[in-house]
Each structure stands twice: as C-alpha cells, then as structure tokens.
Amino acid sequence: MLANTRDVLKHAQHHQYAVAAFNVYNLETVQAAVKVAEKEQQPVIIALGERYFPTVDVEGFSAMVKGIATKASVPICLHLDHAYEKKSIIRAIRSGFTSVMYDGSKYELEQNIQHTAEIVDIAHMAGVSVEAEIGSLARGSFSDEEEGSGTLTDPLLAKEFVAETGVDFLAAAIGTVHGMYQGEPNIDLGLLEKIRQEVEVPLVLHGGSGTPDEIITKAVQAGICKINVNTEVSMEAVSFLQRYFKENEMVHLSTVMADMQMAMEPVMTKFVQLFANR
C-alpha cells in the first residue's frame, strides 16, 4: 500500500526501529526493495534523488511505483531525495510522491529556514510530508552525491530549525558520509543523543552504506527512524554485472536484469533486518 512517509516514521519512532530508504534508479531496484519489504514484513521508502531527473521520467516513475505499491502488503513510501530546486519538489508533489526532501544545507541557517518553511507550506497543502537537513555530510568513495562540508548538526540550532520550519523529519549530520568511508568511521552518537533531546520529530541518518552494524543499532536505539542506503546496493549490482559478463559472452537483457535484481535483494535484506531493531 502507498503510505505517507510521516505516518510511517511516526510509527517507527514510537516502536523504536528505522525504515530503510533505498535510492532507486529503475524497475529492478524498485522491485527488489518492495520484494524484500514484503518478505520481511517491514515498510520501505523508495527514494528517487533529484540528480536522477535527467535520466528518469519522474511522472512515469511515480506511476510505476504507485502501481507496485498498491499491490504490496506493507506500507511503501515514495520519497524525493536531496532536492535543491523548488520546481523539482513541485514536480514530485504533482506526480504523487508521499514525501520530499529539501536540502538547503548549503545556505546559512536563516536562509535554510526561510526556504525550507516555504517548501513545507507548499507540500503540506498537498498532504505531502517534508524532510530537511541541518549540517552536511562529506562525500566518501563510490558516491554520486554532491560534496558536502561535513559540518555536524548543532542540537540547539536543530531545535530552532524544526520549530521555525514545521518540517516533519530531520536529517542529522553526526559523522556519516555519502558513499563508503575512507578510513575508520568517526560517528558521534553522543551528539545524536543531544539532538534527540532537543528535537521531537523523527530523525534521519544519511549514509547508511559502510556504517558498522553496531553503530547502526545504537543510532536506531538513540532515535534514528529512517536510514538512507544507496552505495552498497549500487556496488553489489555493478560487481554482479562485472562478474556476469566475464562468465557469459552474450545473454538476453531480460535475463541479466532479473538476475541483477536477485543479486541486490540480499544486500537490501541485510539492511531491513538490521534497521528493524528486533
């Protein structure tokens, strides 16, 4: 079933687990995420980044996801990830996305608040929930995200930001990175605890790929309700294709895509089970 992301994350917050938000790019990544969600009987968030708009027909993509979600036995959310342009957010809302992320982290706090509050007003009129970010993630290896400053979230500024914008859930920067870590992860769980004390809305952790399992578990227990995963799934799919074509000279595309989907499912399953905090 297609679900409002805010409602799904409120349930996760109340029951102390996190929902996997998988970045997707095509039919196979969507089908893999939904299949895993149904098998594990956990909700899942299908996340399409603004950076993929040039290669993905947004309206067609939304129709596809909504069609698949309608048949699912668990809540499926459709989320716009890391959008910087208002026109992209409006396009996603009109297409039927159930949540959008406005990323104003490059701006000073006052500007970020102003822009985010405007997006919240627009989205809420359509019944769409909003994620925003204060602080910024650095970029690690194998990521296609923009380079961030790596500035950690200030708990008191986060409290002000949420109060002034009315945002539904907040991405907190505590030391994770987009992509894979270069060197040992330096993740500040103590900072997360302080943010949780100041902020009542569900908290989001970007950069789930490569983060040690024990850190993920502690982060969920400390209040993280949504965790974004992109790079590890992408790396598994690409590695599979590299192995596949070394072993097979010529095969039909339909077979390749079906097998690639199957290769991604165990990676997604690992994350869904870990985030469930059972």
Side-chain angles (χ1 to χ4, degrees), residues 103-115:
D103 187 346
S105 59
K106 66 180 180 181
Y107 296 109
E108 296 295 330
L109 180 64
E110 185 176 344
Q111 282 183 293
N112 194 357
I113 288 174
Q114 179 183 347
H115 296 324

Side-chain angles (χ1 to χ4, degrees), residues 181-220:
Y181 294 91
Q182 298 171 334
E184 289 296 317
N186 184 19
I187 300 168
D188 193 339
L189 292 172
L191 175 61
L192 175 59
E193 294 277 5
K194 293 176 182 177
I195 297 168
R196 174 74 282 161
Q197 291 171 10
E198 300 294 341
V199 175
E200 294 183 357
V201 299
L203 295 177
V204 176
L205 187 69
H206 286 230
S209 295
T211 302
D213 290 0
E214 62 271 20
I215 297 295
I216 291 289
T217 299
K218 291 178 181 178
V220 172

Side-chain angles (χ1 to χ4, degrees), residues 148-161:
S149 66
T151 304
L152 301 184
T153 300
D154 182 294
L156 294 179
L157 294 182
K159 179 180 180 179
E160 177 186 354
F161 182 86

Side-chain angles (χ1 to χ4, degrees), residues 45-236:
I45 298 168
I46 303 297
L48 180 69
E50 181 190 64
R51 63 196 174 281
Y52 301 126
F53 277 25
T55 56
V56 175
D57 182 288
V58 177
E59 291 75 20
F61 178 84
S62 177
M64 177 186 73
V65 173
K66 288 186 288 185
I68 293 172
T70 298
K71 299 188 294 181
S73 61
V74 294
I76 307 295
C77 306
L78 178 54
H79 178 70
L80 173 62
D81 190 34
H82 282 289
Y84 306 93
E85 302 294 334
K86 183 167 70 172
K87 64 181 180 180
S88 299
I89 290 172
I90 292 174
R91 186 179 178 187
I93 291 171
R94 286 175 173 168
S95 300
F97 282 57
T98 63
S99 59
V100 296
M101 179 195 179
Y102 172 68
D103 187 346
S105 59
K106 66 180 180 181
Y107 296 109
E108 296 295 330
L109 180 64
E110 185 176 344
Q111 282 183 293
N112 194 357
I113 288 174
Q114 179 183 347
H115 296 324
T116 302
E118 180 184 4
I119 296 300
V120 169
D121 287 342
I122 293 170
H124 282 184
M125 283 191 290
V128 173
S129 48
V130 180
E131 175 183 343
E133 184 170 15
I134 179 170
S136 179
L137 270 66
R139 185 173 65 187
S141 302
F142 309 111
S143 173
D144 63 351
E145 298 281 1
E146 293 186 5
E147 182 67 68
S149 66
T151 304
L152 301 184
T153 300
D154 182 294
L156 294 179
L157 294 182
K159 179 180 180 179
E160 177 186 354
F161 182 86
V162 171
E164 293 291 331
T165 62
V167 71
D168 298 292
F169 34 103
L170 182 71
I174 59 170
T176 54
V177 301
H178 285 131
M180 303 301 288
Y181 294 91
Q182 298 171 334
E184 289 296 317
N186 184 19
I187 300 168
D188 193 339
L189 292 172
L191 175 61
L192 175 59
E193 294 277 5
K194 293 176 182 177
I195 297 168
R196 174 74 282 161
Q197 291 171 10
E198 300 294 341
V199 175
E200 294 183 357
V201 299
L203 295 177
V204 176
L205 187 69
H206 286 230
S209 295
T211 302
D213 290 0
E214 62 271 20
I215 297 295
I216 291 289
T217 299
K218 291 178 181 178
V220 172
Q221 293 170 347
I224 290 294
C225 302
K226 169 180 176 280
I227 303 177
N228 289 24
V229 178
N230 185 346
T231 306
E232 277 199 52
V233 178
S234 171
M235 290 176 66
E236 179 57 37

Side-chain angles (χ1 to χ4, degrees), residues 2 40 75 78 105 127 167 173 199 209 251 254 268 275:
L2 191 68
E40 297 299 322
L78 178 54
S105 59
V167 71
V199 175
S209 295
V251 291
S254 61
M268 292 181 170
F275 299 169

